[in-house]
Amino acid sequence: MLKIEHISKTFNPGTINEKAALRDLSLHLAPGDFVTIIGSNGAGKSTLFNAICGSFFTDSGSIYLDGKNITFQPEYMRSRQIGRLFQDPMRGSAPHMTIEENLSLAAPSGGWLSHVSRADKAAFRDKLAELGMGLEDRMKQPVGLLSGGQRQALTLLMATFNPPKLLLLDEHTAALDPATAEKVLEITRKTVADNHITTLMVTHNMHQALELGNRTLMMDSGRIVLDVSGQERGNMTVDDLLARFKAGAGKALDSDRILLSE
């Protein structure tokens, strides 16, 4: 499904601000894989997502999606096949437009704000009802009036209304309170499973990294230093994960945000 071959990216080369953000990174995902990613700030997690989305072209290497080489495909073309959620709930939807109008942009009929059919409205209502947040009764309200959790759930719905080939979740619950984060995670689990969406999810919570999905990666300095799945992953504890990170990276994980997460 997703095949990344030896990609590298250095920002500001030849200057005092030179930063090697990705270093000869390779990664293969099978259809339906749900992969969690752990790493401290600067490890290259968001940079990897940006490379996959086409926010910049890599310096070397290749990226394939569903057998097609997208290495030099522009970002707007990749967005038709790749859904993405960010940490900030304010990204991904238009605050001054209603819930219905936002969904109309994501619907298969796509973008006809003044021609939302009765069938589309019924579909919107059904999809919103599945979120269990009462948004199906607020379709005429501006998205800017929603809470962060409601808005992030709506963004997830928009990103998967037409199920993408690949879904990228960049700490999409980190800005939410614990109860709301758990609700959005449960919606995420169900959405990914129901639509069999190949998914990469960055998280700072090591327990989530081992419990969600079927595979866990750890990154450091633009490299993947651990890739674990199957029975080996199922038997791992957080302490095991830390020990394996130290063995792969040659140093202990030093992110308080990750180490203190529950």
Side-chain angles (χ1 to χ4, degrees), residues 123-142:
F124 297 166
R125 187 175 182 83
D126 290 344
K127 291 283 189 180
L128 289 167
E130 291 176 6
L131 300 179
M133 292 182 166
L135 298 182
E136 66 275 16
D137 298 319
R138 301 173 61 183
M139 287 172 54
K140 295 297 184 181
Q141 287 192 1

Side-chain angles (χ1 to χ4, degrees), residues 27-28 215-218 224-229 232 244:
L27 174 64
H28 294 181
R215 184 174 167 193
T216 296
L217 309 178
M218 295 191 81
I224 295 172
V225 297
L226 175 66
D227 185 346
V228 61
S229 60
E232 181 184 14
R244 291 288 299 275

Side-chain angles (χ1 to χ4, degrees), residues 1 73 105 131 137 146 158 164 167 184 187 194 221 236 254:
M1 166 54 69
Q73 190 177 79
L105 297 176
L131 300 179
D137 298 319
L146 303 182
M158 292 172 63
L167 180 63
V184 172
I187 294 169
D194 289 351
S221 301
M236 288 187 79
D254 61 357

Side-chain angles (χ1 to χ4, degrees), residues 188-206:
T188 301
R189 289 190 191 96
K190 185 177 187 304
T191 300
V192 168
D194 289 351
N195 295 283
H196 198 63
I197 303 172
T198 305
T199 302
L200 281 169
M201 187 183 90
V202 172
T203 177
H204 67 274
N205 188 306
M206 299 186 75

Side-chain angles (χ1 to χ4, degrees), residues 32-225:
D33 269 351
F34 187 162
V35 182
T36 57
I37 305 176
I38 281 277
S40 57
N41 289 340
K45 309 179 299 296
S46 293
T47 306
L48 172 61
F49 279 14
N50 287 336
I52 294 170
C53 287
S55 300
F56 54 75
F57 293 152
T58 57
D59 299 331
S60 58
S62 302
I63 302 174
Y64 296 83
L65 183 62
D66 201 20
K68 182 177 181 179
N69 190 334
I70 63 170
T71 308
F72 298 107
Q73 190 177 79
E75 186 172 15
Y76 77 91
M77 292 184 65
R78 299 191 203 190
S79 67
R80 300 170 185 169
Q81 306 175 81
I82 300 173
R84 185 174 184 180
L85 268 71
F86 297 87
Q87 180 176 332
D88 184 358
M90 301 302 106
R91 301 182 66 174
S93 56
H96 300 299
M97 295 170 61
T98 66
I99 294 173
E100 180 181 294
E101 289 169 339
N102 272 270
L103 284 173
S104 74
L105 297 176
S109 51
W112 296 100
L113 298 181
S114 60
H115 297 86
V116 181
S117 69
R118 289 184 179 179
D120 284 338
K121 291 180 180 181
F124 297 166
R125 187 175 182 83
D126 290 344
K127 291 283 189 180
L128 289 167
E130 291 176 6
L131 300 179
M133 292 182 166
L135 298 182
E136 66 275 16
D137 298 319
R138 301 173 61 183
M139 287 172 54
K140 295 297 184 181
Q141 287 192 1
V143 168
L145 297 179
L146 303 182
S147 69
Q150 290 170 333
R151 192 158 173 179
Q152 200 69 309
L154 176 64
T155 302
L156 177 62
L157 176 57
M158 292 172 63
T160 58
F161 205 105
N162 296 315
K165 292 181 178 178
L166 179 67
L167 180 63
L168 304 179
L169 306 172
D170 198 348
E171 294 197 81
H172 71 304
T173 64
L176 309 177
D177 65 82
T180 304
E182 185 56 40
K183 173 68 174 176
V184 172
L185 277 177
E186 185 54 41
I187 294 169
T188 301
R189 289 190 191 96
K190 185 177 187 304
T191 300
V192 168
D194 289 351
N195 295 283
H196 198 63
I197 303 172
T198 305
T199 302
L200 281 169
M201 187 183 90
V202 172
T203 177
H204 67 274
N205 188 306
M206 299 186 75
H207 298 280
Q208 287 180 3
L210 289 174
E211 293 168 0
L212 287 168
N214 65 304
R215 184 174 167 193
T216 296
L217 309 178
M218 295 191 81
M219 292 186 66
D220 179 67
S221 301
R223 302 176 296 124
I224 295 172
V225 297

